[in-house]
Protein backbone atom coordinates (compact mmCIF):
# COMPACT_ATOMS: atom_id res chain seq x y z
CA UNK A 1 0.00 0.00 0.00
CA UNK A 2 2.55 2.62 -1.13
CA UNK A 3 0.14 5.57 -1.39
CA UNK A 4 -0.96 5.10 2.22
CA UNK A 5 2.44 6.26 3.45
CA UNK A 6 2.63 9.56 1.57
CA UNK A 7 3.11 12.29 4.18
CA UNK A 8 3.14 9.79 7.04
CA UNK A 9 5.92 8.91 9.45
CA UNK A 10 6.88 5.95 11.63
CA UNK A 11 9.43 5.64 14.41
CA UNK A 12 11.46 2.42 14.56
CA UNK A 13 13.87 1.71 17.39
CA UNK A 14 16.89 -0.56 17.04
CA UNK A 15 16.72 0.29 13.35
CA UNK A 16 20.37 0.16 12.32
CA UNK A 17 20.47 -3.58 11.67
CA UNK A 18 18.60 -6.87 11.97
CA UNK A 19 14.82 -6.80 12.31
CA UNK A 20 14.69 -3.05 12.78
CA UNK A 21 16.55 -2.42 9.54
CA UNK A 22 14.27 -4.83 7.68
CA UNK A 23 11.22 -2.99 8.99
CA UNK A 24 12.70 0.38 8.05
CA UNK A 25 13.60 -0.90 4.59
CA UNK A 26 10.02 -1.98 3.85
CA UNK A 27 8.57 1.33 4.99
CA UNK A 28 11.10 3.38 3.04
CA UNK A 29 10.31 1.53 -0.18
CA UNK A 30 6.66 2.42 0.36
CA UNK A 31 7.38 6.13 0.65
CA UNK A 32 7.16 6.58 4.41
CA UNK A 33 9.25 8.91 6.49
CA UNK A 34 11.16 6.69 8.90
CA UNK A 35 12.60 8.06 12.11
CA UNK A 36 15.19 5.36 12.68
CA UNK A 37 16.82 5.41 16.10
CA UNK A 38 19.58 3.24 17.50
CA UNK A 39 22.47 3.43 19.96
CA UNK A 40 24.78 2.82 16.99
CA UNK A 41 26.15 6.20 15.80
CA UNK A 42 24.65 7.36 12.51
CA UNK A 43 28.09 7.65 10.89
CA UNK A 44 28.69 3.91 11.35
CA UNK A 45 28.77 2.03 7.99
CA UNK A 46 26.00 -0.27 9.23
CA UNK A 47 23.56 2.51 8.32
CA UNK A 48 24.70 2.76 4.70
CA UNK A 49 22.12 0.38 3.24
CA UNK A 50 19.18 2.28 4.69
CA UNK A 51 20.66 5.60 3.63
CA UNK A 52 20.75 4.35 0.04
CA UNK A 53 17.09 3.31 -0.22
CA UNK A 54 14.95 5.41 -2.51
CA UNK A 55 11.27 6.12 -2.00
CA UNK A 56 10.77 7.46 1.50
CA UNK A 57 12.82 9.66 3.77
CA UNK A 58 15.21 8.32 6.37
CA UNK A 59 15.85 10.40 9.48
CA UNK A 60 18.45 8.51 11.48
CA UNK A 61 19.45 9.47 14.98
CA UNK A 62 21.46 8.08 17.85
CA UNK A 63 19.36 7.53 20.95
CA UNK A 64 19.22 5.29 23.99
CA UNK A 65 15.60 4.14 24.23
CA UNK A 66 15.89 4.01 28.00
CA UNK A 67 16.49 7.77 28.12
CA UNK A 68 13.24 9.65 28.75
CA UNK A 69 14.76 12.97 27.69
CA UNK A 70 15.73 11.49 24.33
CA UNK A 71 12.12 10.46 23.70
CA UNK A 72 10.88 13.92 24.67
CA UNK A 73 13.31 15.52 22.21
CA UNK A 74 12.20 13.15 19.45
CA UNK A 75 8.55 13.96 20.14
CA UNK A 76 9.25 17.67 19.84
CA UNK A 77 11.10 17.15 16.55
CA UNK A 78 8.22 15.17 15.05
CA UNK A 79 5.58 17.58 16.37
CA UNK A 80 7.21 20.46 14.50
CA UNK A 81 8.02 18.51 11.32
CA UNK A 82 4.64 18.93 9.66
CA UNK A 83 4.39 15.16 9.14
CA UNK A 84 1.75 12.87 10.59
CA UNK A 85 3.09 10.19 12.91
CA UNK A 86 1.02 7.04 12.39
CA UNK A 87 3.40 4.31 13.50
CA UNK A 88 5.76 3.31 16.29
CA UNK A 89 7.73 0.06 16.29
CA UNK A 90 9.41 -0.70 19.60
CA UNK A 91 12.01 -3.06 18.20
CA UNK A 92 15.15 -2.25 20.22
CA UNK A 93 16.25 -5.09 22.44
CA UNK A 94 19.26 -6.69 24.06
CA UNK A 95 19.86 -10.17 25.42
CA UNK A 96 21.74 -11.55 28.40
CA UNK A 97 21.86 -15.34 28.43
CA UNK A 98 22.20 -16.11 32.12
CA UNK A 99 19.79 -17.46 34.72
CA UNK A 100 18.52 -15.80 37.87
CA UNK A 101 21.44 -16.75 40.12
CA UNK A 102 24.06 -15.68 37.57
CA UNK A 103 22.47 -12.34 36.66
CA UNK A 104 23.83 -9.25 38.39
CA UNK A 105 21.55 -6.36 39.21
CA UNK A 106 23.28 -4.09 36.69
CA UNK A 107 22.68 -6.62 33.90
CA UNK A 108 19.07 -7.12 34.98
CA UNK A 109 18.46 -3.38 34.96
CA UNK A 110 20.13 -2.93 31.57
CA UNK A 111 17.97 -5.56 29.87
CA UNK A 112 14.70 -4.31 31.33
CA UNK A 113 15.68 -0.70 30.63
CA UNK A 114 16.08 -1.40 26.91
CA UNK A 115 13.51 -4.11 26.30
CA UNK A 116 10.63 -2.92 28.48
CA UNK A 117 11.17 0.59 29.82
CA UNK A 118 12.22 1.77 26.34
CA UNK A 119 8.88 0.67 24.89
CA UNK A 120 6.98 2.29 27.77
CA UNK A 121 8.81 5.59 27.27
CA UNK A 122 8.23 5.48 23.52
CA UNK A 123 4.50 4.93 23.86
CA UNK A 124 4.20 7.58 26.57
CA UNK A 125 6.04 10.19 24.52
CA UNK A 126 4.62 9.54 21.05
CA UNK A 127 1.04 8.32 21.50
CA UNK A 128 -0.18 11.89 22.15
CA UNK A 129 1.05 12.83 18.65
CA UNK A 130 -0.73 9.99 16.87
CA UNK A 131 -4.16 10.40 15.24
CA UNK A 132 -6.90 7.80 15.06
CA UNK A 133 -5.91 4.96 12.75
CA UNK A 134 -2.34 4.89 14.03
CA UNK A 135 -0.59 1.71 15.11
CA UNK A 136 2.02 0.75 17.69
CA UNK A 137 3.87 -2.55 17.39
CA UNK A 138 5.97 -3.96 20.22
CA UNK A 139 8.51 -6.61 19.33
CA UNK A 140 8.31 -9.35 21.94
CA UNK A 141 9.57 -12.92 21.81
CA UNK A 142 8.40 -16.49 22.27
CA UNK A 143 10.51 -16.22 25.44
CA UNK A 144 7.62 -14.14 26.73
CA UNK A 145 5.28 -17.12 26.37
CA UNK A 146 7.21 -19.76 28.28
CA UNK A 147 9.97 -20.34 30.78
CA UNK A 148 13.34 -19.40 29.31
CA UNK A 149 16.83 -19.75 30.71
CA UNK A 150 17.78 -16.10 30.12
CA UNK A 151 16.04 -14.65 33.18
CA UNK A 152 16.17 -10.92 32.46
CA UNK A 153 15.29 -11.33 28.79
CA UNK A 154 12.39 -13.65 29.63
CA UNK A 155 11.02 -11.27 32.24
CA UNK A 156 11.31 -8.28 29.93
CA UNK A 157 9.37 -9.98 27.14
CA UNK A 158 6.63 -11.20 29.48
CA UNK A 159 6.39 -7.62 30.72
CA UNK A 160 6.15 -6.29 27.18
CA UNK A 161 3.10 -8.43 26.57
CA UNK A 162 1.45 -6.88 29.62
CA UNK A 163 2.40 -3.38 28.52
CA UNK A 164 0.90 -4.11 25.09
CA UNK A 165 -2.44 -5.12 26.60
CA UNK A 166 -2.54 -2.14 28.95
CA UNK A 167 -1.73 0.32 26.16
CA UNK A 168 -4.24 -1.31 23.79
CA UNK A 169 -6.94 -0.85 26.41
CA UNK A 170 -6.00 2.76 27.13
CA UNK A 171 -5.36 3.99 23.60
CA UNK A 172 -8.09 2.07 21.80
CA UNK A 173 -10.67 4.76 22.50
CA UNK A 174 -8.45 7.21 20.61
CA UNK A 175 -8.33 4.86 17.63
CA UNK A 176 -4.71 3.86 18.22
CA UNK A 177 -4.04 0.13 17.99
CA UNK A 178 -1.29 -1.56 20.02
CA UNK A 179 -0.15 -5.08 19.17
CA UNK A 180 2.77 -7.34 19.90
CA UNK A 181 4.79 -9.56 17.58
CA UNK A 182 6.65 -12.44 19.22
CA UNK A 183 9.39 -13.87 17.00
CA UNK A 184 11.00 -17.22 17.64
CA UNK A 185 14.46 -18.08 16.37
CA UNK A 186 15.52 -15.31 13.98
CA UNK A 187 19.04 -14.96 12.61
CA UNK A 188 20.07 -11.41 13.45
CA UNK A 189 23.30 -9.88 14.77
CA UNK A 190 21.95 -10.47 18.29
CA UNK A 191 21.62 -14.23 17.78
CA UNK A 192 24.39 -15.29 15.41
CA UNK A 193 27.03 -14.67 18.07
CA UNK A 194 25.68 -17.78 19.78
CA UNK A 195 25.99 -20.13 16.81
CA UNK A 196 25.69 -23.28 18.93
CA UNK A 197 22.50 -21.91 20.44
CA UNK A 198 21.08 -21.10 17.01
CA UNK A 199 21.93 -24.49 15.52
CA UNK A 200 20.49 -26.32 18.51
CA UNK A 201 17.24 -24.34 18.55
CA UNK A 202 16.79 -24.82 14.81
CA UNK A 203 16.26 -28.53 15.46
CA UNK A 204 13.09 -27.66 17.40
CA UNK A 205 11.48 -25.62 14.61
CA UNK A 206 8.87 -27.62 12.66
CA UNK A 207 9.66 -25.60 9.51
CA UNK A 208 13.29 -26.71 9.93
CA UNK A 209 14.80 -23.25 9.55
CA UNK A 210 15.42 -20.08 11.46
CA UNK A 211 13.37 -17.04 10.62
CA UNK A 212 14.72 -14.03 8.77
CA UNK A 213 14.31 -10.36 9.64
CA UNK A 214 12.03 -10.03 6.61
CA UNK A 215 9.72 -12.73 8.02
CA UNK A 216 9.11 -10.45 10.98
CA UNK A 217 9.07 -7.18 9.06
CA UNK A 218 6.26 -8.29 6.76
CA UNK A 219 3.96 -8.94 9.72
CA UNK A 220 4.95 -5.64 11.34
CA UNK A 221 4.09 -3.81 8.11
CA UNK A 222 0.67 -5.49 8.04
CA UNK A 223 -0.02 -4.35 11.60
CA UNK A 224 0.95 -0.78 10.74
CA UNK A 225 -1.40 -0.56 7.77
CA UNK A 226 -5.21 -0.17 7.51
CA UNK A 227 -5.80 -3.84 6.64
CA UNK A 228 -5.21 -4.61 10.33
CA UNK A 229 -7.62 -1.88 11.49
CA UNK A 230 -9.55 -4.14 13.90
CA UNK A 231 -6.54 -5.96 15.33
CA UNK A 232 -5.79 -4.56 18.77
CA UNK A 233 -4.17 -6.04 21.87
CA UNK A 234 -3.06 -9.11 19.92
CA UNK A 235 0.17 -11.05 20.27
CA UNK A 236 1.24 -12.75 17.06
CA UNK A 237 3.82 -15.53 17.38
CA UNK A 238 6.11 -15.91 14.37
CA UNK A 239 8.31 -18.91 15.05
CA UNK A 240 7.84 -21.54 12.37
CA UNK A 241 5.55 -23.52 14.67
CA UNK A 242 8.05 -24.04 17.52
CA UNK A 243 5.88 -22.74 20.38
CA UNK A 244 2.81 -24.53 19.07
CA UNK A 245 4.67 -27.84 19.02
CA UNK A 246 5.76 -27.41 22.65
CA UNK A 247 7.41 -30.43 24.22
CA UNK A 248 6.74 -32.45 21.08
CA UNK A 249 9.27 -30.34 19.17
CA UNK A 250 11.94 -31.40 21.67
CA UNK A 251 10.84 -35.02 21.54
CA UNK A 252 10.89 -35.03 17.73
CA UNK A 253 14.39 -33.54 17.67
CA UNK A 254 15.70 -36.17 20.08
CA UNK A 255 14.07 -38.98 18.12
CA UNK A 256 15.59 -37.63 14.92
CA UNK A 257 19.04 -37.58 16.52
CA UNK A 258 18.63 -41.16 17.75
CA UNK A 259 17.48 -42.30 14.31
CA UNK A 260 20.49 -40.66 12.68
CA UNK A 261 22.94 -42.57 14.86
CA UNK A 262 21.11 -45.90 15.08
CA UNK A 263 19.54 -46.19 11.65
CA UNK A 264 16.12 -46.87 13.16
CA UNK A 265 12.97 -44.96 12.13
CA UNK A 266 12.19 -41.81 14.17
CA UNK A 267 8.81 -43.06 15.42
Amino acid sequence: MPMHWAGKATVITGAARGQGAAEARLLLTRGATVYAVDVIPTEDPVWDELKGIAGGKLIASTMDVGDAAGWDDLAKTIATSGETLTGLVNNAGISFRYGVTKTGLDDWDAVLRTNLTGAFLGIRALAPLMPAGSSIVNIGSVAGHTGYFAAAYCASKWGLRGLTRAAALELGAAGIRVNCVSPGLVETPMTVDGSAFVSTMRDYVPLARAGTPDDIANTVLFLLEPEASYLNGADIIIDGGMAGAGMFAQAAAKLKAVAATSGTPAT
Side-chain angles (χ1 to χ4, degrees):
M1 184 176 285
M3 292 304 296
H4 168 74
W5 290 105
K8 295 184 176 68
T10 294
V11 172
I12 301 177
T13 67
R17 56 183 183 173
Q19 290 175 190
E23 294 149 8
R25 188 184 312 116
L26 273 179
L27 284 161
L28 287 169
T29 59
R30 281 159 174 74
T33 294
V34 176
Y35 287 86
V37 302
D38 205 295
V39 292
I40 298 176
T42 55
E43 62 270 17
D44 191 295
V46 75
W47 287 96
D48 289 349
E49 181 186 356
L50 289 181
K51 291 177 180 178
I53 294 177
K57 180 170 66 173
L58 177 71
I59 303 174
S61 61
T62 303
M63 189 182 84
D64 174 0
V65 296
D67 176 24
W71 280 110
D72 291 341
D73 289 343
L74 180 60
K76 291 174 184 176
T77 297
I78 295 171
T80 58
S81 69
E83 294 171 316
T84 303
L85 180 68
T86 62
L88 166 62
V89 183
N90 287 307
N91 172 81
I94 60 175
S95 184
F96 185 75
R97 297 193 181 105
Y98 290 90
V100 174
T101 60
K102 300 295 184 182
T103 299
L105 183 57
D106 288 347
D107 295 315
W108 173 270
D109 288 343
V111 173
L112 267 68
R113 185 176 190 271
T114 298
N115 297 6
L116 182 56
T117 302
F120 158 71
L121 292 173
I123 295 170
R124 189 181 70 171
L126 299 185
L129 304 180
M130 304 173 82
S134 297
S135 173
I136 297 170
V137 182
N138 296 323
I139 306 299
S141 169
V142 291
H145 290 259
T146 186
Y148 186 61
F149 67 90
Y153 185 80
C154 182
S156 71
K157 295 304 184 179
W158 274 94
L160 193 59
R161 293 178 65 203
L163 176 64
T164 298
R165 297 291 177 87
L169 174 64
E170 179 179 342
L171 300 176
I176 301 172
R177 298 178 293 108
V178 187
N179 293 289
C180 186
V181 169
S182 290
L185 179 65
V186 180
E187 292 192 356
T188 69
M190 192 171 76
T191 59
V192 294
D193 62 345
S195 56
F197 170 78
V198 172
S199 61
T200 299
M201 291 303 297
R202 191 183 291 116
D203 292 338
Y204 298 143
V205 180
L207 285 183
R209 70 172 178 88
T212 68
D214 285 338
D215 289 327
I216 312 306
N218 285 320
T219 299
V220 171
L221 182 67
F222 167 70
L223 291 172
L224 290 173
E225 293 189 332
E227 286 85 352
S229 63
Y230 201 57
L231 198 56
N232 188 38
D235 189 348
I236 301 175
I237 297 176
I238 311 174
D239 69 346
M242 182 172 61
M247 65 180 181
F248 294 105
Q250 300 181 42
K254 290 181 178 179
L255 287 169
K256 182 179 178 181
V258 170
T261 57
S262 66
T264 58
T267 58

